[in-house]
Every structure is written in C-alpha cells, then in structure tokens.
Amino acid sequence: VGSSGSEFTVPIAAGESSGTGNLLLPIVLHELRTTYDFTPVTLAPGQVLTSPDESVDYVYFIDEGLVTMLAGTSAGHTVEVSTVGREGIVGAVGCLGPNFSPWESRVQVAGNARRVSSRQLCEDLGSADTPLGGIVLRYLHYEFCQVTQSGTCGRLHDSSARVAKWLLIATERLESAMLPLTHDAIAQVVGGPRHEVSRDLARLEASGALQRGRACIWVRDAAALRAAACECYDRVRGARDRLLGP
C-alpha cells in the first residue's frame, strides 16, 4: 500500500456529516452571485445528471451527496471512473469543446446541488485567468487524474483492495462514517460481481474495518480500511491536495 504522508481519519460519528455546501464556490462567491443564475436542486439516488454521448445542459456544484461517473458497455456492465462529493462539479467536462459527456453521472447518495446552465458557464472558461475559469480547469485536471488512476486500478489491483479504496473515497466525499449504499451499488462502481463485493465486505468486517447493515456500511476503523486499500487511494488524494488544496 502506498502512502502520501497525509493522515486519514473519519472525523465524525457514524451517521453524522461535518457540513454541507460546495467547497469550490466560496473562492469565487462574489463573482458567482453577481454573474451566474444558480438553481438549487435535490439529488435523488439513481438520478442521472449526464448521459454518455449526449449534450450536457447543466453543470452541478454538489452541496451534499455523492455522484459517480460511470463508464459502461452495451451489455450493461459499468465501472466508476470518478467520484464527486461537495468538493466538486458534475458536467464541466462538456465545456472542453464539443458539448457531450463521455460518461454517465449517477447519484449514489441523495443530496443537494446548485445547477447552472452549461452554456452560461462555458462562456467564461476560455481563460483560466478568471476566478471561476481557474477553479473549473483545476478541477477538471483532478477529474482526469481520477479517470487515469481508475484504469490502472481496474487492471492491476484485486477486488478487495479496490473495494476498500472506494469506501475510503466515499467516506471522504460524504464526510460521514455511515455510507447508505447497497452491495449492488458498490459492485456497480468497482466493476465487479456482487458476490465478490459481498465477500470482500465480509472480510473487511471480520478485520474490524467496517460493519455491514441493511443497505448501509459503517466505517469503524479507517486505519484498517486504509491498510487494505490499494495505493490508488493515496494517488487520488495526493492529486486532489495538489490541485484543489487539502
């Protein structure tokens, strides 16, 4: 297991959240309030925010919840390539040129977001010199780091290490030790059969890292979970810290 030198802890009790509100917007809050027309929206589990090869009408600044970017096949198999919580944005990839999404963006955990027209946002992304342009372009760089590492992870690391890594990332994004996720949902994002994911979760529970419940997972020992995770967790977190700040 790799190490970035940063310490991971779950800073809150199970079922509690340390806060809401998108972490990128305060940096440019004054500009956004006077320039952009945001609409508060509710995010429901299973809701699709962008679809592969379809135009992106809106960009979402996540305030609370968890959204995964999924690549899929014609047979219906999926694997996650990026995860977004309140540190991030969904749909900005459509501003890079041709306005379409390369993946499906699906809500995994309910929450809220602020939505803005992608056309309105993209008009300001021609330059990284604007506060918003700089933030969005740095975030997209981070998102592509996640996509690249996801390909490496899926090819080189076993199912158990991938499950542990993803649970760590989900815990950070939600800022909660309680993850309202089913085995099926976890299998979809890690790209493995459900029975393998259930086996991996049972082993992690036996180690004391987590506790399984009905349609939920409680992280009990973050250090044990991190010891079981592949090095991709550290690489993704390192990229986030470099590009977005710790």
Side-chain angles (χ1 to χ4, degrees):
V1 178
S3 176
S4 65
S6 55
E7 181 181 358
F8 174 81
T9 59
V10 178
I12 46 189
E16 296 181 353
S17 173
S18 65
T20 59
N22 190 273
L23 298 176
L24 299 180
L25 288 185
I27 304 172
V28 288
L29 192 56
H30 177 72
E31 177 184 345
L32 292 173
R33 280 178 171 171
T34 58
T35 307
Y36 294 91
D37 182 19
F38 278 89
T39 302
V41 294
T42 299
L43 305 177
Q47 181 180 354
V48 174
L49 304 183
T50 70
S51 298
D53 302 323
E54 294 186 9
S55 63
V56 179
D57 296 324
Y58 298 100
V59 175
Y60 299 80
F61 287 77
I62 307 302
D63 288 321
E64 185 179 18
L66 188 72
V67 181
T68 54
M69 315 298 112
L70 299 169
T73 68
S74 58
H77 304 299
T78 61
V79 63
E80 180 226 47
V81 296
S82 179
T83 308
V84 184
R86 73 185 188 103
E87 86 296 335
I89 313 167
V90 173
V93 67
C95 296
L96 292 179
N99 181 16
F100 72 91
S101 175
W103 46 61
E104 177 180 284
S105 304
R106 185 188 303 170
V107 178
Q108 293 293 342
V109 177
N112 302 282
R114 278 170 281 182
R115 187 180 74 179
V116 65
S117 163
S118 62
R119 182 177 64 179
Q120 186 180 19
L121 180 67
C122 291
E123 289 175 353
D124 277 0
L125 292 186
S127 171
D129 294 334
T130 64
L132 181 60
I135 286 174
V136 172
L137 291 176
R138 286 200 306 275
Y139 183 78
L140 286 172
H141 190 162
Y142 167 59
E143 189 165 69
F144 292 142
C145 288
Q146 289 193 72
V147 171
T148 301
Q149 199 64 39
S150 175
T152 302
C153 189
R155 177 67 179 85
L156 300 178
H157 298 145
D158 63 30
S159 173
S160 181
R162 297 200 313 272
V163 168
K165 174 209 69 176
W166 192 82
L167 292 175
L168 282 174
I169 291 174
T171 299
E172 284 194 341
R173 299 296 188 273
L174 288 171
E175 300 177 84
S176 174
M178 194 280 283
L179 307 175
L181 297 163
T182 64
H183 293 201
D184 283 330
I186 297 171
Q188 287 181 353
V189 297
V190 300
R194 185 191 185 282
H195 71 273
E196 287 188 7
V197 169
S198 295
R199 177 204 63 196
D200 297 334
L201 291 171
R203 290 175 177 171
L204 289 168
E205 184 174 41
S207 75
L210 57 82
Q211 179 181 341
R212 294 175 295 170
R214 184 174 178 84
C216 63
I217 304 288
W218 284 273
V219 174
R220 296 305 191 192
D221 187 339
L225 193 60
R226 187 169 185 176
C230 58
E231 65 184 278
C232 296
Y233 165 77
D234 290 314
R235 291 184 177 274
V236 169
R237 182 169 180 176
R240 185 200 67 185
D241 290 348
R242 288 193 303 275
L243 292 163
L244 303 177

